Structures are given as structure tokens and as C-alpha cells.
């Protein structure tokens, strides 16, 4: 046996698959009969359920990511994108962070490239819209909200102020609802430091095309969450679509039109483009078609799981597993075992997991949960949200850092500093150079 396992994507599926292989194939990795490579543009795995907490400033962004090279010392990590897969030749095209693209040969392929935001051709969306899937987006949003409070406090123009203080979130799944609830909570808390901004001056609008929010916690808890958000003054618009947002002029399908400086797009995900980049079979939603054993349907030596894969849900015949971390982590375990079984010529096992429900944070000390039929609201749900996600964070090191962040937040007031200038670190230097030219 001399095998090279190539994993495309170092997120949930990629990291957990590699972790298990690293542990179970210790001997083979040592004697060189097995090599594992992960390709990912980032050198870290993002624990996405903590993005809202990072945006709210309860968690340091560095603590909600797991550094791949440190966690996976026996695995080669290459940073860049896989742009094409030629499975007949058992090669991928790898586009590194710098320099020309090159081919990498492999024996076994694991497709774990996750998903990207599912956007629509809405006028203006690319101008003012921002997604909520990466650490960069979460921190940029945090900086933006705080910066716009500064703008509103410092202007005398009521139009500029109103526009700065209007925030729109499109899509009311857990990413949208949690992002909105945490940011609203943070903004409300921050107003105590501003003389001219009261919580009621800030307008939050949640736009949802269907007639319910947070389907992940079921209809009853979704309805409860809706009432909670409305009680907090959030304008939740159901059965409403975003029609356009050119230059920040937001037009909704219910006829409402207003100006907003910020629009967060969380209206679903679609598979990473690399899923379609290599002749692997796709399902009707563009995901890599897999069997219940997490092998790519009808293709030898290729596996796929997570958001990029259409995995049949054996607990609900005719349906697919939803794109969430609950499935991704469990699929990774079965996938790693099946990779080893296939190398040893053993029978593969089926992926079977019945969705157990979800927990969501709705701001500090507030949450909603529906897990194994147990429905919780408010503080108990928030506590469950934190303990559940803490238990899922990879490595003890990260867990400790997260707990330290939370503990500090218990004793000190929350950080409300906008470090937006970090996104433009050369501006000051450029301005200095410009003054020098004028003097010359
Ligand atoms: C804000 C937010 C909150 C969430 N909360 C929850 C929650 O509470 N509970 C829950 O169950 N789920 C939650 N999810 C969903 C969950 O995070 C995803 O379902 C999970 O991350 C999917 O795992 P994955 O490995 O398929 O993809 P990811 O974890 O996204 O990993 C994919 C990786 O592939 C890399 N990649 C992409 N394209 C390429 C390429 N061409 N070449 C190489 N690498 C590539 C990416 O950089 C990324 O690192 C949340 C998601 C978000 C955005």
C-alpha cells in the first residue's frame, strides 16, 4: 500500500477527517506508506457557529479558528485553491497563494470544499451586500456597525444619520438570525457611550422570503423567536423579498423603500464552485452526488461530505442531509473510517444520523433551543448553546481560549472599539507620502 490521500478543503469535514486519519494511520504515516495533504486557501479551520459571537465581540476571532498545521502535524497543508479535478488521471489543479498553478497527483480524493453564499441577481447587491461566512466578514461587520455609530453621532445631517443607523439582514436561517441578534445586542449596549444615540434610533430590518424564521429549531420555537425579535424592536418582514439596493436605496417586495448603509446577505448557501469543476456527478442542487457510504456516486476512490455534498439521509428516505455542522462532523468520522476500509479492501459502512435539532444564540444571555425534542428559551437555551458549541470546538487549546474569553466578558464590560482602520493599514502612510509630494 502506498497511498496519497488528498483532501480538498480544511473546514469541518476536511479537518475532522484528517484528524481521524492522522490518529488511526499513525504507523502508515510514519513509514511513509500513506501521505495526507489538505488544500485550503486558509491555514486555519473556522468554527462558523461562533461567527456571530466574534462579531459581537464576545470572542476573539483568533480563538474561533483552529490552526491546521498545529492541529495536524502529520498532514501536509498547502494553501491555495483546487480549481479543477481530473479524477480519471487522479490529479487536481492546484492554484497556490503565489506563483503558477500546478498539478498534484493523488490516489484517494476527499471533496470537502463546503459552500459559498447563494446570491441572486439583485441590482446593487454586489455594491453594498456583505456575506456572513468568514471571520473576515464577521469582524468587518462588527467594525462597520461600530463605525456607523460614530458616523451617526458626529453628523448633523439627519439623512446621513438615519442611513448610517439602518441595518438590513436578508435571510432568517440560523446564520442571519444569530448575526442580527448578536449585532443588535452589541449596538444597543454600545449606545451607552454615545450622547446622541438611543437604542430606539437604530433600525434593524430582517427580510425573509418565507413565512417563518429559524426553521432549524422547528415551528413553535421559530414563532417564539419571531416574537422575541419583534419585542426587541426588530422589524421582521416575512414573505418579503429584497428587490434592489442600488447605492444603498433598499426596495422590498412589500413596497417599502428606505436608505441603508449596511446589508447582510444570509439567504442560503450553494456548493463551492470546485464541486462542479471536475466531472464528478452532481445532484439537482449542484452538490457532489454521494452514496450513503459517502463515496462519490459511481466513482472509485473518491469521497465527499459536508455542505458541498448531496448525502442521502437514510433516516428520512428521499431526502438529503441538511448543510450543517451537526452532519459535517459526524460525516467526517464515517468518511475517514471508509477511506481506511477502502484501502484495506473492507466493506464500507453507511452514514446514519437523525437530525437532533438546533441551538441558537440571540445575544448575551438569550437563546433558543430545540434538541432531542427538548425546547428551551432565554438563558437556559443560551447556556446550552455555549456548552454545546464549546464541546464541539476542535482541540483543548481552543476550548480553553474560548472559556477564557467568556470568563473575561463576565467580569468586564464588552469591547466596543471599532478597529476598521485595520482594513486599510496603508492609508495613513499614503496620506503622509501625499503631503511630501505637495511640499516638493
Ligand atoms: C454564521 C454561521 C453559523 C452557523 N451555525 C451553525 C450551527 O449553529 N449549527 C450547525 O450545525 N451548523 C452551523 N453552521 C453551518 C456549518 O458551519 C457548516 O454546515 C459547516 O461548516 C460545513 O462544513 P464543511 O466542511 O462542508 O464546509 P466548511 O467548514 O465551510 O469548510 C470548507 C473549506 O473548504 C475550503 N475551500 C473552498 N473551496 C476550496 C477550493 N476550491 N480549494 C480548496 N479549499 C477550498 C474553504 O476555505 C473552507 O475552509 C453555521 C454556518 C454559518 C455561516
Amino acid at each position: 500500500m502506498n497511498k496519497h490521500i488528498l483532501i480538498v478543503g480544511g473546514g469541518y469535514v476536511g479537518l475532522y477527517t484528517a484528524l481521524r486519519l492522522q490518529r488511526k494511520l499513525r504507523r502508515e504515516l510514519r513509514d511513509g506508506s500513506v501521505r495526507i495533504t489538505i488544500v485550503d486557501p486558509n491555514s486555519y479551520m473556522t468554527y462558523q457557529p461562533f461567527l456571530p459571537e466574534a462579531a459581537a465581540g464576545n470572542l476573539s476571532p483568533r480563538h474561533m479558528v483552529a490552526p491546521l498545521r498545529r492541529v495536524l502535524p502529520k498532514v501536509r497543508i498547502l494553501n491555495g485553491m483546487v480549481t479543477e479535478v481530473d479524477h480519471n488521471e487522479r490529479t487536481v489543479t492546484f492554484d497556490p497563494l503565489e506563483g503558477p498553478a500546478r498539478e498534484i497527483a493523488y490516489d484517494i480524493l476527499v471533496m470537502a470544499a463546503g459552500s459559498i453564499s447563494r446570491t441572486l441577481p439583485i441590482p446593487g447587491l454586489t455594491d453594498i451586500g456583505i456575506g456572513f461566512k468568514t471571520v473576515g466578514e464577521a469582524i468587518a461587520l462588527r467594525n462597520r456597525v461600530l463605525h456607523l455609530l460614530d458616523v451617526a453621532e458626529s453628523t448633523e445631517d439627519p439623512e446621513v444619520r438615519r442611513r448610517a443607523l439602518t441595518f438590513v439582514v436578508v435571510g432568517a436561517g440560523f446564520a442571519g438570525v444569530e448575526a442580527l441578534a448578536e449585532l443588535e445586542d452589541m449596538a444597543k449596549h454600545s449606545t451607552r457611550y454615545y450622547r446622541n444615540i438611543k437604542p430606539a434610533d437604530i433600525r434593524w430590518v430582517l427580510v425573509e422570503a418565507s413565512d417563518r424564521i429559524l426553521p432549524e429549531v422547528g415551528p413553535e420555537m421559530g414563532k417564539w423567536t419571531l416574537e422575541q425579535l419583534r419585542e426587541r424592536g426588530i422589524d421582521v418582514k416575512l414573505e418579503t423579498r429584497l428587490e434592489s439596493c442600488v447605492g444603498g436605496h433598499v426596495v422590498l417586495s412589500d413596497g417599502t423603500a428606505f436608505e441603508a448603509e449596511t446589508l447582510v446577505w444570509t439567504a442560503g448557501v450553494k456548493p463551492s464552485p470546485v464541486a462542479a469543476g471536475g466531472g464528478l456527478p452532481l445532484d439537482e442542487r449542484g452538490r457532489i452526488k454521494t452514496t450513503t457510504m459517502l463515496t462519490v456516486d459511481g466513482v472509485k476512490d473518491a469521497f465527499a461530505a459536508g455542505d458541498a455534498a448531496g448525502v442521502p439521509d437514510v433516516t428520512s428516505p428521499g431526502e438529503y442531509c441538511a448543510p450543517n455542522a451537526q452532519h459535517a462532523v459526524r460525516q467526517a468520522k464515517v468518511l475517514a473510517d471508509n477511506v481506511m476500509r477502502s484501502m484495506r479492501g473492507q466493506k464500507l459502512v453507511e452514514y446514519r444520523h437523525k437530525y437532533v435539532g438546533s441551538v441558537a444564540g440571540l445575544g448575551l444571555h438569550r437563546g433558543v433551543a430545540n434538541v432531542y425534542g427538548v425546547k428551551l428559551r432565554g438563558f437556559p437555551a443560551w447556556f446550552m448553546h455555549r456548552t454545546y458549541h464549546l464541546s464541539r470546538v476542535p482541540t483543548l487549546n481552543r476550548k480553553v481560549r474560548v472559556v477564557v474569553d467568556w470568563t473575561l466578558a463576565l467580569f468586564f464590560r464588552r469591547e466596543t472599539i471599532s478597529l476598521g482602520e485595520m482594513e486599510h493599514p496603508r492609508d495613513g502612510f499614503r496620506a503622509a507620502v501625499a503631503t511630501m509630494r505637495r511640499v516638493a
Side-chain angles (χ1 to χ4, degrees), residues 9 11-13 39-41 48 82 113-114 132 174 272 306-307 324-326 389:
Y12 271 87
V13 173
V39 179
D40 196 296
Q48 290 175 0
V82 166
F132 199 76
F174 48 26
S272 163
D307 287 9
N324 59 44
Q326 198 180 119
H389 284 303

Side-chain angles (χ1 to χ4, degrees), residues 41-365:
N42 299 315
S43 57
Y44 52 81
M45 173 263 195
T46 303
Y47 191 82
Q48 290 175 0
F50 276 156
L51 287 175
E53 288 230 37
N58 301 331
L59 267 186
S60 159
R62 282 191 305 280
H63 299 164
M64 51 157 297
V65 299
L68 295 175
R69 289 189 177 85
R70 192 153 137 197
V71 177
L72 299 166
K74 306 278 182 256
V75 173
R76 184 166 70 140
I77 311 294
L78 293 177
N79 294 122
M81 297 286 274
V82 166
T83 50
E84 260 185 68
V85 179
D86 184 345
H87 194 64
N88 289 333
E89 293 297 320
R90 303 287 194 270
T91 59
V92 295
T93 307
F94 167 59
D95 195 1
L97 293 181
E98 290 279 343
R102 64 177 192 269
E103 293 201 336
I104 300 178
Y106 62 82
D107 300 291
I108 296 176
L109 176 71
V110 176
M111 291 296 279
S115 55
I116 58 172
S117 298
R118 178 163 43 84
T119 53
L120 296 169
I122 292 172
L125 188 57
T126 45
D127 305 340
I128 72 152
I130 179 168
F132 199 76
K133 271 196 73 65
T134 64
V135 181
E137 287 169 336
I139 301 309
L141 249 169
R142 165 184 173 71
N143 287 332
R144 189 174 179 78
V145 171
L146 293 169
H147 168 73
L148 288 169
L149 295 185
D150 297 344
V151 169
E153 175 88 340
S154 313
T155 184
E156 292 198 336
D157 182 333
E159 284 307 313
V160 171
R161 180 182 154 89
R162 199 169 308 129
R163 185 180 154 107
L165 294 182
T166 302
F167 301 94
V168 184
V169 176
V170 182
F174 48 26
V177 169
E178 286 192 292
L180 177 136
E182 292 284 358
L183 285 166
E184 188 266 349
D185 199 39
M186 176 197 69
K188 192 180 274 171
H189 173 90
S190 306
T191 54
R192 67 179 66 188
Y193 305 112
Y194 293 82
R195 283 169 183 246
N196 297 319
I197 306 177
K198 291 188 286 304
D201 296 336
I202 310 177
R203 181 176 181 201
W204 292 89
V205 185
L206 178 60
V207 181
E208 168 57 43
S210 75
D211 60 355
R212 44 99 189 94
I213 68 167
L214 215 55
E216 293 85 353
V217 293
E220 185 190 333
M221 301 315 277
K223 194 162 165 282
W224 178 82
T225 309
L226 176 65
E227 285 159 13
Q228 290 297 305
L229 295 183
R230 285 186 168 150
E231 264 173 37
R232 281 162 67 169
I234 296 163
D235 185 2
V236 186
K237 290 178 179 293
L238 299 180
E239 298 183 81
T240 307
R241 290 171 191 276
L242 173 70
E243 304 252 292
S244 75
C245 51
V246 178
H249 181 68
V250 177
V251 180
L252 304 179
S253 60
D254 65 356
T256 328
F258 54 88
E259 300 291 317
E261 196 73 32
T262 311
L263 186 138
V264 189
W265 181 267
T266 52
V269 293
K270 65 179 181 189
S272 163
V274 71
L280 297 175
L282 303 179
D283 69 11
E284 59 287 355
R285 292 200 206 160
R287 297 170 300 197
I288 298 168
K289 202 169 171 188
T290 68
T291 65
T292 53
M293 268 84 73
L294 305 176
T295 56
V296 178
D297 199 15
V299 180
K300 204 170 171 294
D301 299 331
F303 295 78
D307 287 9
V311 179
D313 184 349
V314 295
T315 68
S316 225
E319 302 205 4
Y320 290 103
C321 298
N324 59 44
Q326 198 180 119
H327 281 300
V329 174
R330 289 170 172 84
Q331 286 170 356
K333 185 169 169 265
V334 174
L335 193 156
D337 289 348
N338 279 346
V339 166
M340 288 182 284
R341 284 167 179 268
S342 79
M343 289 195 304
R344 292 167 185 155
Q346 296 166 343
K347 195 167 175 284
L348 307 193
V349 294
E350 208 170 54
Y351 172 70
R352 173 181 290 270
H353 170 68
K354 193 162 174 52
Y355 185 64
V356 298
S358 241
V359 286
L362 300 174
L364 208 53
H365 304 154

